[in-house]
Amino acid sequence: MPESKGRFGIHGGQYIPETLMNAVIELERAYDHYKNDPDFNRELTELFNSYAGRPSLLYYAEKLTRELGGAKIYLKREDLNHTGSHKINNVLGQALLAKKMGKTRLIAETGAGQHGVATATAAALLDMECVVFMGEEDTKRQALNVYRMKLLGSEVIPVRTGTATLKDAVSEAMREWTSRIDDTHYCLGSVMGPHPFPTIVRDFQAVISREARAQILEAEGRLPDAVIACVGGGSNAIGSFYHFIPDESVKLIGCEAAGRGIDTFETAATVNTGRLGIFHGMKSYFCQDEYGQIAPVYSISAGLDYPGIGPEHAHLHDIGRAEYVPVTDEAAVNAFEYLSRTEGIIPAIESAHAVAYAMKLAPTLDKDKIIIITISGRGDKDCAAIARYRGEDIYE
Ligand SMILES: *Cc1c(COP(=O)(O)O)cnc(C)c1O
C-alpha cells in the first residue's frame, strides 16, 4: 500500500479493500493529469462562473458588526451559489473530471440530500446517469430532496443497513463503486474517504479562500485576523482555510456540531470527543464507543452529523494550525434567528454554527480586527425544523 500518498501527518491514506485499489489509482492518475490541464481548468472556471454564479460575494455585515460591537465581520456568501451551498463547487469539478475520464455514470452518497441534489444537478447538466445512495431513515426525513433528485433525473436508492443514515450510505456507495468502475465515478461529497478524495475535494473547494483572500485584500488592504467555518466532513471549512494556511497571522477556526453538548452522548463534535481510528478508507478522528465501534452521532443539523472529520483537518488540529470548537444546537438556532433578523440573511443551520462562534468571538476583539465567516449554504431547507425546535408546527 502506498503509505506515503495522501498523508496529512499521520492521517489520511488509503485503507481500502484490494477490489477498490484499481478505481482509486485510475482516479489519482487522471486527477494528477487534469489538475494541471489548461482546458480542464478553463472549462471548470466557465462552469463556476456562468452556471454556479461564482465568484460568490464577500459581504461586509455592517449591522452585525455594529450590534456585536467588536471585530469587523465579513460573510463569504456560498449560500448564493446555484443549488444553495458550497457543494456545487466540488460536484462540478468531479463531474467534469469523470466526464474527461470517459465515465458516463455518477454515484454519490447523501445524508440530508444536499450533496445528492448537487450531484443530480451536475449529472443533468453534463448529461450523465446518476444514482444516489441515501439512508432509508434520511429518505423519510428529507422526502423533498428525494423528489428533487428524481426530478433532476436521478435514481435514489434507500440504504437499509446499519442505522440507515449517512455513514451507511457512504459504505454502500463504496461497495457499488467496487463492483462497477468501468463506467462509474464515485462523486464523494466531502474531504474524506481514501486518497485522492480529500485532496481532490479540497482543491475544488479551495476556490472559496482563493476568492476570499483576494476580496478582503481588495476591500481592506490586509488579511483577516480569523476565518471561521462549520465542519461536518470539513469541505467548506478546508476550502475556506486553504489559501490562508501559509498566513500564520490568520486564525483558522472550525465549528463542530456539539448537538446537546460535548458532555452528552448526543453530539457530533469529532475533534472534541473523538479518537484516532480508521473508517471509510482513511485514518482520522472519529466518534467511537468504548469498543472502538463508530458511535451514533447527533446534531440538529443533518449536514454536520458525520462521525468523522477529514484527515487534513485532523492534521491541522495536531499541529495547532487550526482550532476546532464545539457549538451546541441551541447556540446555532439562536445564531440562525439572529443573522436572519440582523442582516436579512437566513443561513443554513450548518453555517449558523460558524455564526454562533463568531457572535462569541467578535465582541472580545478590537474594532480594527477582521473576521470572515463562511456562510456555507442558505437556510430555506431548515425553516420547518427550526420552527419545530421552537415548538411551532408548520407543514412543508
Ligand atoms: C453538507 C453541508 C455542510 C457540511 O459539509 P462540509 O463537508 O463539512 O462542508 C455544511 N454546510 C452546508 C450548507 C452543507 O450543505
Side-chain angles (χ1 to χ4, degrees), residues 85-87 114 190 230-236 303-304 348 350 376-377:
S85 82
H86 68 293
K87 294 236 163 60
Q114 299 299 107
S190 191
C230 65
V231 179
S235 70
N236 89 87
L304 301 184
E350 290 85 5
S376 54

PDB file of all heavy atoms in Angstrom, residues 85-87 114 190 230-236 303-304 348 350 376-377, ligand 1:
ATOM      1  N   SER A  85     -25.579  26.075  -1.896  1.00  0.00           N
ATOM      2  CA  SER A  85     -24.474  25.843  -0.953  1.00  0.00           C
ATOM      3  C   SER A  85     -23.148  25.691  -1.694  1.00  0.00           C
ATOM      4  O   SER A  85     -23.103  25.738  -2.929  1.00  0.00           O
ATOM      5  CB  SER A  85     -24.732  24.596  -0.104  1.00  0.00           C
ATOM      6  OG  SER A  85     -24.370  23.429  -0.822  1.00  0.00           O
ATOM      7  N   HIS A  86     -22.087  25.474  -0.911  1.00  0.00           N
ATOM      8  CA  HIS A  86     -20.754  25.268  -1.482  1.00  0.00           C
ATOM      9  C   HIS A  86     -20.635  23.934  -2.210  1.00  0.00           C
ATOM     10  O   HIS A  86     -19.687  23.703  -2.939  1.00  0.00           O
ATOM     11  CB  HIS A  86     -19.707  25.315  -0.369  1.00  0.00           C
ATOM     12  CG  HIS A  86     -19.812  24.149   0.574  1.00  0.00           C
ATOM     13  ND1 HIS A  86     -20.895  23.980   1.404  1.00  0.00           N
ATOM     14  CD2 HIS A  86     -19.008  23.079   0.791  1.00  0.00           C
ATOM     15  CE1 HIS A  86     -20.743  22.857   2.111  1.00  0.00           C
ATOM     16  NE2 HIS A  86     -19.599  22.293   1.757  1.00  0.00           N
ATOM     17  N   LYS A  87     -21.582  23.011  -2.012  1.00  0.00           N
ATOM     18  CA  LYS A  87     -21.428  21.649  -2.537  1.00  0.00           C
ATOM     19  C   LYS A  87     -21.242  21.628  -4.057  1.00  0.00           C
ATOM     20  O   LYS A  87     -20.560  20.775  -4.590  1.00  0.00           O
ATOM     21  CB  LYS A  87     -22.621  20.795  -2.127  1.00  0.00           C
ATOM     22  CG  LYS A  87     -22.686  20.576  -0.626  1.00  0.00           C
ATOM     23  CD  LYS A  87     -22.711  19.126  -0.266  1.00  0.00           C
ATOM     24  CE  LYS A  87     -22.373  18.885   1.192  1.00  0.00           C
ATOM     25  NZ  LYS A  87     -23.291  19.541   2.149  1.00  0.00           N
ATOM     26  N   GLN A 114     -28.398  17.300   0.405  1.00  0.00           N
ATOM     27  CA  GLN A 114     -27.790  18.454  -0.267  1.00  0.00           C
ATOM     28  C   GLN A 114     -26.766  18.029  -1.321  1.00  0.00           C
ATOM     29  O   GLN A 114     -26.777  18.527  -2.443  1.00  0.00           O
ATOM     30  CB  GLN A 114     -27.107  19.365   0.749  1.00  0.00           C
ATOM     31  CG  GLN A 114     -28.021  19.943   1.799  1.00  0.00           C
ATOM     32  CD  GLN A 114     -29.104  20.787   1.190  1.00  0.00           C
ATOM     33  OE1 GLN A 114     -30.263  20.384   1.152  1.00  0.00           O
ATOM     34  NE2 GLN A 114     -28.741  21.927   0.672  1.00  0.00           N
ATOM     35  N   SER A 190     -17.411  15.089   0.554  1.00  0.00           N
ATOM     36  CA  SER A 190     -16.656  15.939   1.469  1.00  0.00           C
ATOM     37  C   SER A 190     -15.174  15.556   1.426  1.00  0.00           C
ATOM     38  O   SER A 190     -14.791  14.657   0.678  1.00  0.00           O
ATOM     39  CB  SER A 190     -17.209  15.832   2.895  1.00  0.00           C
ATOM     40  OG  SER A 190     -16.646  16.846   3.704  1.00  0.00           O
ATOM     41  N   CYS A 230     -18.053  26.185   9.502  1.00  0.00           N
ATOM     42  CA  CYS A 230     -18.558  24.981  10.162  1.00  0.00           C
ATOM     43  C   CYS A 230     -17.906  23.743   9.559  1.00  0.00           C
ATOM     44  O   CYS A 230     -17.434  23.765   8.433  1.00  0.00           O
ATOM     45  CB  CYS A 230     -20.081  24.901  10.018  1.00  0.00           C
ATOM     46  SG  CYS A 230     -20.673  24.679   8.327  1.00  0.00           S
ATOM     47  N   VAL A 231     -17.871  22.671  10.351  1.00  0.00           N
ATOM     48  CA  VAL A 231     -17.201  21.443   9.929  1.00  0.00           C
ATOM     49  C   VAL A 231     -18.119  20.230  10.096  1.00  0.00           C
ATOM     50  O   VAL A 231     -18.531  19.919  11.204  1.00  0.00           O
ATOM     51  CB  VAL A 231     -15.936  21.190  10.783  1.00  0.00           C
ATOM     52  CG1 VAL A 231     -15.255  19.892  10.351  1.00  0.00           C
ATOM     53  CG2 VAL A 231     -14.958  22.340  10.682  1.00  0.00           C
ATOM     54  N   GLY A 232     -18.441  19.585   8.976  1.00  0.00           N
ATOM     55  CA  GLY A 232     -19.084  18.276   9.025  1.00  0.00           C
ATOM     56  C   GLY A 232     -17.968  17.300   8.697  1.00  0.00           C
ATOM     57  O   GLY A 232     -17.179  16.913   9.559  1.00  0.00           O
ATOM     58  N   GLY A 233     -17.851  16.938   7.417  1.00  0.00           N
ATOM     59  CA  GLY A 233     -16.646  16.241   6.966  1.00  0.00           C
ATOM     60  C   GLY A 233     -15.505  17.238   6.853  1.00  0.00           C
ATOM     61  O   GLY A 233     -14.338  16.901   7.011  1.00  0.00           O
ATOM     62  N   GLY A 234     -15.868  18.491   6.530  1.00  0.00           N
ATOM     63  CA  GLY A 234     -14.881  19.561   6.531  1.00  0.00           C
ATOM     64  C   GLY A 234     -14.594  20.214   5.193  1.00  0.00           C
ATOM     65  O   GLY A 234     -13.605  20.939   5.063  1.00  0.00           O
ATOM     66  N   SER A 235     -15.473  20.031   4.173  1.00  0.00           N
ATOM     67  CA  SER A 235     -15.123  20.558   2.850  1.00  0.00           C
ATOM     68  C   SER A 235     -15.266  22.080   2.732  1.00  0.00           C
ATOM     69  O   SER A 235     -14.394  22.731   2.156  1.00  0.00           O
ATOM     70  CB  SER A 235     -15.914  19.850   1.750  1.00  0.00           C
ATOM     71  OG  SER A 235     -17.277  20.188   1.773  1.00  0.00           O
ATOM     72  N   ASN A 236     -16.332  22.662   3.303  1.00  0.00           N
ATOM     73  CA  ASN A 236     -16.414  24.132   3.182  1.00  0.00           C
ATOM     74  C   ASN A 236     -15.355  24.776   4.064  1.00  0.00           C
ATOM     75  O   ASN A 236     -14.797  25.819   3.722  1.00  0.00           O
ATOM     76  CB  ASN A 236     -17.842  24.643   3.448  1.00  0.00           C
ATOM     77  CG  ASN A 236     -18.144  24.955   4.901  1.00  0.00           C
ATOM     78  OD1 ASN A 236     -17.896  26.069   5.371  1.00  0.00           O
ATOM     79  ND2 ASN A 236     -18.641  23.971   5.642  1.00  0.00           N
ATOM     80  N   GLY A 303     -26.429  18.134   8.027  1.00  0.00           N
ATOM     81  CA  GLY A 303     -25.187  18.225   7.254  1.00  0.00           C
ATOM     82  C   GLY A 303     -23.941  18.098   8.106  1.00  0.00           C
ATOM     83  O   GLY A 303     -22.836  17.960   7.593  1.00  0.00           O
ATOM     84  N   LEU A 304     -24.085  18.143   9.425  1.00  0.00           N
ATOM     85  CA  LEU A 304     -22.897  18.069  10.288  1.00  0.00           C
ATOM     86  C   LEU A 304     -22.828  16.777  11.088  1.00  0.00           C
ATOM     87  O   LEU A 304     -21.864  16.557  11.816  1.00  0.00           O
ATOM     88  CB  LEU A 304     -22.852  19.264  11.259  1.00  0.00           C
ATOM     89  CG  LEU A 304     -22.817  20.669  10.637  1.00  0.00           C
ATOM     90  CD1 LEU A 304     -22.672  21.722  11.728  1.00  0.00           C
ATOM     91  CD2 LEU A 304     -21.676  20.816   9.639  1.00  0.00           C
ATOM     92  N   ALA A 348     -27.899  28.484   6.374  1.00  0.00           N
ATOM     93  CA  ALA A 348     -28.136  27.066   6.659  1.00  0.00           C
ATOM     94  C   ALA A 348     -27.851  26.838   8.139  1.00  0.00           C
ATOM     95  O   ALA A 348     -26.999  27.519   8.714  1.00  0.00           O
ATOM     96  CB  ALA A 348     -27.217  26.199   5.808  1.00  0.00           C
ATOM     97  N   GLU A 350     -26.235  24.534   9.383  1.00  0.00           N
ATOM     98  CA  GLU A 350     -24.816  24.172   9.468  1.00  0.00           C
ATOM     99  C   GLU A 350     -23.988  25.449   9.634  1.00  0.00           C
ATOM    100  O   GLU A 350     -23.199  25.593  10.572  1.00  0.00           O
ATOM    101  CB  GLU A 350     -24.364  23.428   8.186  1.00  0.00           C
ATOM    102  CG  GLU A 350     -24.933  22.028   8.007  1.00  0.00           C
ATOM    103  CD  GLU A 350     -26.318  22.034   7.354  1.00  0.00           C
ATOM    104  OE1 GLU A 350     -26.788  23.117   6.952  1.00  0.00           O
ATOM    105  OE2 GLU A 350     -26.925  20.951   7.265  1.00  0.00           O
ATOM    106  N   SER A 376     -21.932  28.668   4.473  1.00  0.00           N
ATOM    107  CA  SER A 376     -21.787  27.541   3.533  1.00  0.00           C
ATOM    108  C   SER A 376     -23.045  27.289   2.717  1.00  0.00           C
ATOM    109  O   SER A 376     -22.969  26.727   1.618  1.00  0.00           O
ATOM    110  CB  SER A 376     -21.389  26.274   4.286  1.00  0.00           C
ATOM    111  OG  SER A 376     -22.299  26.001   5.341  1.00  0.00           O
ATOM    112  N   GLY A 377     -24.215  27.692   3.251  1.00  0.00           N
ATOM    113  CA  GLY A 377     -25.442  27.453   2.487  1.00  0.00           C
ATOM    114  C   GLY A 377     -26.591  28.293   2.990  1.00  0.00           C
ATOM    115  O   GLY A 377     -26.482  28.954   4.033  1.00  0.00           O
TER     116      GLY A 377
HETATM  117  C1  LIG B   1     -23.068  19.500   3.570  1.00  0.00           C
HETATM  118  C2  LIG B   1     -23.042  20.809   4.193  1.00  0.00           C
HETATM  119  C3  LIG B   1     -22.113  21.128   5.215  1.00  0.00           C
HETATM  120  C4  LIG B   1     -21.166  20.136   5.799  1.00  0.00           C
HETATM  121  O1  LIG B   1     -20.233  19.576   4.925  1.00  0.00           O
HETATM  122  P1  LIG B   1     -18.709  20.012   4.911  1.00  0.00           P
HETATM  123  O2  LIG B   1     -18.067  18.986   4.039  1.00  0.00           O
HETATM  124  O3  LIG B   1     -18.201  19.943   6.316  1.00  0.00           O
HETATM  125  O4  LIG B   1     -18.633  21.378   4.357  1.00  0.00           O
HETATM  126  C5  LIG B   1     -22.111  22.426   5.703  1.00  0.00           C
HETATM  127  N1  LIG B   1     -22.972  23.366   5.258  1.00  0.00           N
HETATM  128  C6  LIG B   1     -23.872  23.092   4.293  1.00  0.00           C
HETATM  129  C7  LIG B   1     -24.788  24.167   3.847  1.00  0.00           C
HETATM  130  C8  LIG B   1     -23.943  21.812   3.730  1.00  0.00           C
HETATM  131  O5  LIG B   1     -24.857  21.559   2.771  1.00  0.00           O
END
